[in-house]
Amino acid sequence: NKIDNEKVMSEDEKLLKKGIDDIVTAWNANDHSAMQAAMTKDFIRTENGEVVVKSAREYTDNLMTTFFTGFPDFKVSLDNYEIKGNKVYIKWTCTGTNTGDFQEITTNKPITTHGTSIWTFENDGKASREDAYFDNLDLLEQLGYSVTEPKKS
């Protein structure tokens, strides 16, 4: 039970849990200032092993803007988490409806995508890194994209 676990958390663990809660709240409010305040300036994000963000500002200006432009009702929910040292391992779900421009299209289709992220925190409670893992193909297929069989040579 998550609530029981929170009662026996160390002060360091409570700081990290607050950091994750602040990040989820900032995502759901599309609050760029709050998101940047929760991160180090040189924040790094990887997606499936590839570096895609190299600063807190880039995270909000590129990543958050892209998702909220394409999915104005975009929401993140924290499904589960585990704290180990200065890292928080989370399972998350994102939902939204593609009523705005996303990768140059608007489909009006809903999406639900699940993933796992490993967030690294500094001693001050600010996040310095997120390593996110999710199935991008699943997201694109929900929007109507498909993969075709390669032609035989």
Side-chain angles (χ1 to χ4, degrees):
N1 182 323
K2 285 186 210 175
I3 294 172
D4 289 340
N5 290 345
E6 290 176 17
K7 289 179 186 173
V8 295
M9 281 184 176
S10 71
E11 290 306 310
D12 288 342
E13 290 170 330
K14 287 178 183 175
L15 184 64
L16 299 187
K17 178 61 169 66
K18 181 185 181 314
I20 287 296
D21 289 343
D22 289 349
I23 287 164
V24 170
T25 299
W27 259 113
N28 289 330
N30 192 18
D31 187 336
H32 291 211
S33 296
M35 185 64 78
Q36 288 180 28
M39 300 173 161
T40 60
K41 289 196 184 315
D42 60 349
F43 181 86
I44 299 286
R45 175 185 164 103
T46 67
E47 290 178 3
N48 300 320
E50 180 182 341
V51 174
V52 295
V53 166
K54 294 182 181 175
S55 73
R57 180 169 206 95
E58 187 179 0
Y59 189 97
T60 58
D61 290 355
N62 294 353
L63 189 67
M64 290 179 76
T65 297
T66 296
F67 277 97
F68 278 97
T69 298
F71 306 88
D73 61 345
F74 189 79
K75 293 291 179 215
V76 176
S77 64
L78 178 63
D79 300 330
N80 205 346
Y81 71 92
E82 185 170 348
I83 299 170
K84 289 188 177 185
N86 70 331
K87 296 184 186 304
V88 183
Y89 298 78
I90 68 168
K91 290 186 182 217
W92 47 261
T93 300
C94 295
T95 59
T97 308
N98 179 220
T99 56
D101 181 40
F102 182 72
Q103 299 182 353
E104 301 179 12
I105 64 160
T106 302
T107 65
N108 294 309
K109 293 183 178 186
I111 58 111
T112 298
T113 188
H114 306 277
T116 300
S117 290
I118 303 166
W119 285 81
T120 304
F121 287 84
E122 300 304 307
N123 291 338
D124 62 0
K126 289 187 181 236
S128 59
R129 183 179 182 102
E130 178 193 12
D131 295 295
Y133 302 93
F134 59 96
D135 186 347
N136 216 1
L137 180 58
D138 179 57
L139 170 66
L140 295 173
E141 286 176 338
Q142 290 178 61
L143 295 175
Y145 288 91
S146 62
V147 176
T148 58
E149 183 177 308
K151 293 181 180 178
K152 295 180 182 177
S153 45

